[in-house]
mmCIF file with all atom_site columns, all heavy atoms in Angstrom:
data_model
loop_
_atom_site.group_PDB
_atom_site.id
_atom_site.type_symbol
_atom_site.label_atom_id
_atom_site.label_alt_id
_atom_site.label_comp_id
_atom_site.label_asym_id
_atom_site.label_entity_id
_atom_site.label_seq_id
_atom_site.pdbx_PDB_ins_code
_atom_site.Cartn_x
_atom_site.Cartn_y
_atom_site.Cartn_z
_atom_site.occupancy
_atom_site.B_iso_or_equiv
_atom_site.pdbx_formal_charge
_atom_site.auth_seq_id
_atom_site.auth_comp_id
_atom_site.auth_asym_id
_atom_site.auth_atom_id
_atom_site.pdbx_PDB_model_num
ATOM 1  N N   . LYS A 1 332 ? -35.859 1.108  24.091 1.00 0.00 ? 332 LYS A N   1
ATOM 2  C CA  . LYS A 1 332 ? -36.055 2.370  25.038 1.00 0.00 ? 332 LYS A CA  1
ATOM 3  C C   . LYS A 1 332 ? -35.553 3.605  24.354 1.00 0.00 ? 332 LYS A C   1
ATOM 4  O O   . LYS A 1 332 ? -35.810 4.660  24.952 1.00 0.00 ? 332 LYS A O   1
ATOM 5  C CB  . LYS A 1 332 ? -35.334 2.053  26.384 1.00 0.00 ? 332 LYS A CB  1
ATOM 6  C CG  . LYS A 1 332 ? -36.179 1.053  27.223 1.00 0.00 ? 332 LYS A CG  1
ATOM 7  C CD  . LYS A 1 332 ? -35.554 0.736  28.518 1.00 0.00 ? 332 LYS A CD  1
ATOM 8  C CE  . LYS A 1 332 ? -36.457 -0.139 29.275 1.00 0.00 ? 332 LYS A CE  1
ATOM 9  N NZ  . LYS A 1 332 ? -35.825 -0.806 30.370 1.00 0.00 ? 332 LYS A NZ  1
ATOM 10 N N   . LEU B 2 243 ? -28.412 3.778  31.727 1.00 0.00 ? 243 LEU B N   1
ATOM 11 C CA  . LEU B 2 243 ? -27.583 4.089  30.508 1.00 0.00 ? 243 LEU B CA  1
ATOM 12 C C   . LEU B 2 243 ? -28.344 5.071  29.686 1.00 0.00 ? 243 LEU B C   1
ATOM 13 O O   . LEU B 2 243 ? -27.816 6.088  29.165 1.00 0.00 ? 243 LEU B O   1
ATOM 14 C CB  . LEU B 2 243 ? -27.218 2.813  29.788 1.00 0.00 ? 243 LEU B CB  1
ATOM 15 C CG  . LEU B 2 243 ? -26.463 3.004  28.466 1.00 0.00 ? 243 LEU B CG  1
ATOM 16 C CD1 . LEU B 2 243 ? -25.165 3.706  28.612 1.00 0.00 ? 243 LEU B CD1 1
ATOM 17 C CD2 . LEU B 2 243 ? -26.172 1.616  27.726 1.00 0.00 ? 243 LEU B CD2 1
ATOM 18 N N   . VAL B 2 244 ? -29.667 4.800  29.407 1.00 0.00 ? 244 VAL B N   1
ATOM 19 C CA  . VAL B 2 244 ? -30.427 5.676  28.594 1.00 0.00 ? 244 VAL B CA  1
ATOM 20 C C   . VAL B 2 244 ? -30.513 7.163  29.262 1.00 0.00 ? 244 VAL B C   1
ATOM 21 O O   . VAL B 2 244 ? -30.341 8.151  28.607 1.00 0.00 ? 244 VAL B O   1
ATOM 22 C CB  . VAL B 2 244 ? -31.846 5.115  28.397 1.00 0.00 ? 244 VAL B CB  1
ATOM 23 C CG1 . VAL B 2 244 ? -32.803 6.124  27.706 1.00 0.00 ? 244 VAL B CG1 1
ATOM 24 C CG2 . VAL B 2 244 ? -31.827 3.780  27.592 1.00 0.00 ? 244 VAL B CG2 1
ATOM 25 N N   . ALA B 2 245 ? -30.689 7.051  30.609 1.00 0.00 ? 245 ALA B N   1
ATOM 26 C CA  . ALA B 2 245 ? -30.735 8.304  31.277 1.00 0.00 ? 245 ALA B CA  1
ATOM 27 C C   . ALA B 2 245 ? -29.432 9.095  31.145 1.00 0.00 ? 245 ALA B C   1
ATOM 28 O O   . ALA B 2 245 ? -29.424 10.346 30.910 1.00 0.00 ? 245 ALA B O   1
ATOM 29 C CB  . ALA B 2 245 ? -31.038 8.120  32.768 1.00 0.00 ? 245 ALA B CB  1
ATOM 30 N N   . LYS B 2 246 ? -28.333 8.467  31.298 1.00 0.00 ? 246 LYS B N   1
ATOM 31 C CA  . LYS B 2 246 ? -26.957 9.092  31.201 1.00 0.00 ? 246 LYS B CA  1
ATOM 32 C C   . LYS B 2 246 ? -26.817 9.631  29.758 1.00 0.00 ? 246 LYS B C   1
ATOM 33 O O   . LYS B 2 246 ? -26.310 10.757 29.597 1.00 0.00 ? 246 LYS B O   1
ATOM 34 C CB  . LYS B 2 246 ? -25.798 8.127  31.552 1.00 0.00 ? 246 LYS B CB  1
ATOM 35 C CG  . LYS B 2 246 ? -25.658 7.791  32.932 1.00 0.00 ? 246 LYS B CG  1
ATOM 36 C CD  . LYS B 2 246 ? -25.039 8.952  33.650 1.00 0.00 ? 246 LYS B CD  1
ATOM 37 C CE  . LYS B 2 246 ? -24.720 8.646  35.112 1.00 0.00 ? 246 LYS B CE  1
ATOM 38 N NZ  . LYS B 2 246 ? -24.438 9.762  35.903 1.00 0.00 ? 246 LYS B NZ  1
ATOM 39 N N   . LEU B 2 247 ? -27.200 8.910  28.757 1.00 0.00 ? 247 LEU B N   1
ATOM 40 C CA  . LEU B 2 247 ? -26.946 9.406  27.343 1.00 0.00 ? 247 LEU B CA  1
ATOM 41 C C   . LEU B 2 247 ? -27.870 10.528 27.133 1.00 0.00 ? 247 LEU B C   1
ATOM 42 O O   . LEU B 2 247 ? -27.480 11.483 26.371 1.00 0.00 ? 247 LEU B O   1
ATOM 43 C CB  . LEU B 2 247 ? -27.273 8.242  26.381 1.00 0.00 ? 247 LEU B CB  1
ATOM 44 C CG  . LEU B 2 247 ? -26.300 7.068  26.348 1.00 0.00 ? 247 LEU B CG  1
ATOM 45 C CD1 . LEU B 2 247 ? -26.693 6.002  25.344 1.00 0.00 ? 247 LEU B CD1 1
ATOM 46 C CD2 . LEU B 2 247 ? -24.900 7.466  26.060 1.00 0.00 ? 247 LEU B CD2 1
ATOM 47 N N   . LYS B 2 248 ? -29.048 10.570 27.637 1.00 0.00 ? 248 LYS B N   1
ATOM 48 C CA  . LYS B 2 248 ? -29.916 11.770 27.540 1.00 0.00 ? 248 LYS B CA  1
ATOM 49 C C   . LYS B 2 248 ? -29.384 12.977 28.251 1.00 0.00 ? 248 LYS B C   1
ATOM 50 O O   . LYS B 2 248 ? -29.266 14.061 27.731 1.00 0.00 ? 248 LYS B O   1
ATOM 51 C CB  . LYS B 2 248 ? -31.277 11.426 28.138 1.00 0.00 ? 248 LYS B CB  1
ATOM 52 C CG  . LYS B 2 248 ? -32.185 10.636 27.234 1.00 0.00 ? 248 LYS B CG  1
ATOM 53 C CD  . LYS B 2 248 ? -33.618 10.597 27.660 1.00 0.00 ? 248 LYS B CD  1
ATOM 54 C CE  . LYS B 2 248 ? -34.422 9.873  26.634 1.00 0.00 ? 248 LYS B CE  1
ATOM 55 N NZ  . LYS B 2 248 ? -35.526 9.035  27.173 1.00 0.00 ? 248 LYS B NZ  1
ATOM 56 N N   . GLU B 2 249 ? -28.821 12.725 29.466 1.00 0.00 ? 249 GLU B N   1
ATOM 57 C CA  . GLU B 2 249 ? -28.214 13.794 30.234 1.00 0.00 ? 249 GLU B CA  1
ATOM 58 C C   . GLU B 2 249 ? -27.062 14.462 29.496 1.00 0.00 ? 249 GLU B C   1
ATOM 59 O O   . GLU B 2 249 ? -26.912 15.668 29.554 1.00 0.00 ? 249 GLU B O   1
ATOM 60 C CB  . GLU B 2 249 ? -27.720 13.111 31.527 1.00 0.00 ? 249 GLU B CB  1
ATOM 61 C CG  . GLU B 2 249 ? -27.451 14.007 32.706 1.00 0.00 ? 249 GLU B CG  1
ATOM 62 C CD  . GLU B 2 249 ? -26.962 13.194 33.887 1.00 0.00 ? 249 GLU B CD  1
ATOM 63 O OE1 . GLU B 2 249 ? -27.746 12.320 34.375 1.00 0.00 ? 249 GLU B OE1 1
ATOM 64 O OE2 . GLU B 2 249 ? -25.849 13.350 34.245 1.00 0.00 ? 249 GLU B OE2 1
ATOM 65 N N   . SER B 2 250 ? -26.232 13.639 28.839 1.00 0.00 ? 250 SER B N   1
ATOM 66 C CA  . SER B 2 250 ? -25.058 14.093 28.169 1.00 0.00 ? 250 SER B CA  1
ATOM 67 C C   . SER B 2 250 ? -25.403 14.601 26.742 1.00 0.00 ? 250 SER B C   1
ATOM 68 O O   . SER B 2 250 ? -24.492 14.942 25.988 1.00 0.00 ? 250 SER B O   1
ATOM 69 C CB  . SER B 2 250 ? -23.921 13.144 28.147 1.00 0.00 ? 250 SER B CB  1
ATOM 70 O OG  . SER B 2 250 ? -24.403 11.863 27.663 1.00 0.00 ? 250 SER B OG  1
ATOM 71 N N   . GLY B 2 251 ? -26.655 14.501 26.400 1.00 0.00 ? 251 GLY B N   1
ATOM 72 C CA  . GLY B 2 251 ? -26.998 15.144 25.121 1.00 0.00 ? 251 GLY B CA  1
ATOM 73 C C   . GLY B 2 251 ? -26.823 14.222 23.896 1.00 0.00 ? 251 GLY B C   1
ATOM 74 O O   . GLY B 2 251 ? -26.871 14.696 22.771 1.00 0.00 ? 251 GLY B O   1
ATOM 75 N N   . HIS B 2 252 ? -26.548 12.967 24.126 1.00 0.00 ? 252 HIS B N   1
ATOM 76 C CA  . HIS B 2 252 ? -26.199 12.094 22.944 1.00 0.00 ? 252 HIS B CA  1
ATOM 77 C C   . HIS B 2 252 ? -27.510 11.570 22.330 1.00 0.00 ? 252 HIS B C   1
ATOM 78 O O   . HIS B 2 252 ? -27.425 11.169 21.127 1.00 0.00 ? 252 HIS B O   1
ATOM 79 C CB  . HIS B 2 252 ? -25.325 10.913 23.380 1.00 0.00 ? 252 HIS B CB  1
ATOM 80 C CG  . HIS B 2 252 ? -24.007 11.374 23.698 1.00 0.00 ? 252 HIS B CG  1
ATOM 81 N ND1 . HIS B 2 252 ? -23.048 11.857 22.735 1.00 0.00 ? 252 HIS B ND1 1
ATOM 82 C CD2 . HIS B 2 252 ? -23.193 11.358 24.856 1.00 0.00 ? 252 HIS B CD2 1
ATOM 83 C CE1 . HIS B 2 252 ? -21.955 12.189 23.270 1.00 0.00 ? 252 HIS B CE1 1
ATOM 84 N NE2 . HIS B 2 252 ? -21.977 11.905 24.538 1.00 0.00 ? 252 HIS B NE2 1
ATOM 85 N N   . ILE B 2 253 ? -28.597 11.607 23.075 1.00 0.00 ? 253 ILE B N   1
ATOM 86 C CA  . ILE B 2 253 ? -29.836 11.096 22.385 1.00 0.00 ? 253 ILE B CA  1
ATOM 87 C C   . ILE B 2 253 ? -30.959 12.079 22.814 1.00 0.00 ? 253 ILE B C   1
ATOM 88 O O   . ILE B 2 253 ? -30.852 12.889 23.679 1.00 0.00 ? 253 ILE B O   1
ATOM 89 C CB  . ILE B 2 253 ? -30.229 9.708  22.780 1.00 0.00 ? 253 ILE B CB  1
ATOM 90 C CG1 . ILE B 2 253 ? -30.255 9.510  24.316 1.00 0.00 ? 253 ILE B CG1 1
ATOM 91 C CG2 . ILE B 2 253 ? -29.335 8.715  22.096 1.00 0.00 ? 253 ILE B CG2 1
ATOM 92 C CD1 . ILE B 2 253 ? -30.789 8.177  24.799 1.00 0.00 ? 253 ILE B CD1 1
#
Side-chain angles (χ1 to χ4, degrees):
Chain A
K332 285 179 175 161
Chain B
L243 175 59
V244 174
K246 283 285 185 196
L247 291 179
K248 278 191 177 144
E249 200 180 295
S250 52
H252 289 295
I253 51 173

